[in-house]
């Protein structure tokens, strides 16, 4: 009789494995958003200077990498100016390249700081291809603003306002209905208070109609703390804070936003009738766009900078077309606009005076988003009489706006060489930085595109055995 052996294996239930554990709430998001700003294994560049308030526009520092001072690094980290996908963890300390666009921005900031009574507000939309350095340009603007003792408010990712990942609700008594996000607003107030220490020295000078009583002379940092600690009060506290910051004799104000396309279309949120809510019907996007368009004024001067995104960009044809128009108008005013040569008959049309307008014209068969066009209207009166009207001619889209367009192109060979020399001194680029090597990497990166240059030099390193 054969001996039969029967083995029984007891399968463990899903909750009985003691070696693994489920991640705590928020742990995966913290890992995903973690930013490392120092690498102790990298060489320290002893000759690297720091960016200071007196050298933000120094042309002698062009094409050189300047370090960010330690206190400013803490402020930038607080307002989430550093991105997780940027290569800060490869170097000893954070530093940025002084490119020509950065020096030009530094001159503008110095003029605004020296002539604060002029109430000049510099408004610009930063565009460029993927990897052109748009987010770094915003970081440099925030660095210079902190060095100039400005108040800085940053929205690091515009998609967080419209992707339906945070709670929302209607503002009581608003008509048409305006929605607010109390949890996000409370977190924003906390970042504003932590990143701007000068708010503790400023006190309230206006009277506000708030749900709770406040002291007559309350510091603005404490005002932010009240809104961040109680999200139900964040909407009212944020409005009171902005009223105080735009009162006379306040520091200049810098507002920055990354990912402009996300707040120029319908959001992922739904109204009670289950209709998509436009991003302009939310409080924070409308607040930022009111400063960008000039509807909201800042008597103390400042700057409003918005950057587009190409790595996670939704399709917003109205915004793309309007930015092309503004860029062409800007080039035409400077005399640097090149004629469009895609038509073979263009030389004949130019010679006979029949050439079309160099400004891009709207498509009469495409329905543009009027709310996006209103942001880039020339003035408040132009906003009242729509560029398109209800059924008017679309040619009115070509009217001028005081919003500039800053296109970031590739680095020059001198700027690329300065950046590559910094990489070599840090120990990340193990190659002699010669003119031939710089020219080769500059050409392979598409004419000095920063992101592609970084990939080709330090992103991938292969050594022969």
């Amino acid at each position: 009789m054969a001996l039969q052996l029967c083995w029984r294996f007891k399968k463990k239930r899903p909750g009985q494995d003691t070696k693994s554990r489920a991640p705590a709430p928020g742990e995966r998001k913290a890992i995903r958003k973690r930013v490392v700003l120092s690498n102790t294994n990298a060489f320290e560049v002893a000759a690297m200077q720091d960016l200071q308030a007196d050298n933000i526009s120094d042309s002698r520092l062009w094409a050189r990498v300047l370090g960010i001072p330690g206190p400013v690094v803490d402020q930038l980290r607080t307002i989430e100016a550093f991105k997780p996908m940027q290569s800060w963890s490869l170097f000893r300390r954070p530093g940025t390249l002084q490119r020509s666009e950065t020096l030009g921005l530094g001159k503008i900031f110095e003029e605004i700081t020296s002539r604060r009574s002029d109430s000049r507000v510099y408004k610009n939309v930063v565009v460029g291809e993927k990897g052109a350095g748009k987010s770094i340009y915003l970081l440099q603007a925030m660095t210079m603003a902190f060095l100039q003792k400005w108040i800085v408010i940053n929205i690091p990712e515009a998609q967080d306002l419209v992707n339906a990942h945070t709670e929302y609700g209607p503002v009581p008594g608003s008509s048409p209905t305006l929605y607010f996000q109390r949890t996000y607003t409370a977190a924003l107030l906390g970042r504003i208070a932590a990143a701007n220490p000068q708010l503790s020295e400023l006190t309230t000078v206006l009277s506000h109609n708030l749900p709770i009583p406040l002291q007559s002379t309350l510091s603005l940092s404490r005002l932010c703390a009240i809104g961040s600690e109680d999200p139900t009060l964040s909407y009212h506290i944020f409005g009171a804070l902005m009223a105080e910051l735009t009162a006379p004799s306040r520091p200049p104000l810098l507002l920055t936003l990354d990912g402009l396309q996300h707040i120029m279309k319908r959001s992922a949120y739904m109204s009670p009738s289950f209709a998509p809510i436009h991003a302009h019907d939310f409080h924070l996007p409308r607040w930022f766009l009111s400063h960008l368009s000039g509807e909201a004024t800042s008597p103390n001067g400042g700057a409003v900078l918005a950057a587009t995104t190409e790595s996670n960009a939704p399709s917003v044809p109205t915004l793309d077309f309007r930015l092309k128009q503004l860029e062409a108008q800007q080039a035409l005013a400077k005399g640097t606009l090149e004629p469009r040569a895609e038509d073979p008959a263009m030389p004949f049309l130019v010679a006979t005076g029949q050439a079309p307008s160099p400004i891009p014209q709207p498509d009469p068969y495409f329905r543009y988003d009027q709310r996006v066009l209103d942001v880039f209207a020339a003035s408040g009166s132009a906003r009242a009489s729509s560029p398109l009207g209800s059924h008017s001619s679309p040619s009115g889209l070509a009217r001028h706006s005081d919003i500039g367009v800053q296109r970031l192109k590739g680095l020059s060979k001198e700027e690329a060489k300065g950046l590559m020399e910094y990489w070599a001194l840090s120990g990340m680029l193990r190659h002699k930085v010669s003119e031939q090597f710089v020219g080769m990497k500059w050409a392979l990166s598409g004419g000095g595109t920063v992101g592609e240059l970084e990939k080709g030099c330090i992103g991938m390193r292969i050594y022969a055995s």
Side-chain angles (χ1 to χ4, degrees), residues 330-370:
Q330 193 171 280
L332 184 63
K334 296 179 180 179
T336 59
L337 181 63
E338 298 180 358
R340 293 177 290 175
E342 65 271 9
D343 189 355
M346 184 62 68
F348 172 77
L349 296 176
V350 172
T352 58
Q354 304 177 33
S357 172
I359 306 297
Q361 298 301 310
D363 184 358
Y365 301 103
F366 182 79
R367 178 174 294 180
Y368 293 93
D369 190 346
Q370 187 59 55

Side-chain angles (χ1 to χ4, degrees), residues 66 82 119 142 145 193 196 226 230 256 281 289 293 305-306 379 382 384 391 407 426 457:
L66 300 184
F82 299 105
S119 67
M142 287 181 267
N196 298 278
I226 294 175
D230 189 354
T256 57
D281 289 329
L289 294 175
S293 65
L305 301 177
S379 61
H391 299 284
R407 178 167 294 277
S426 298
C457 292

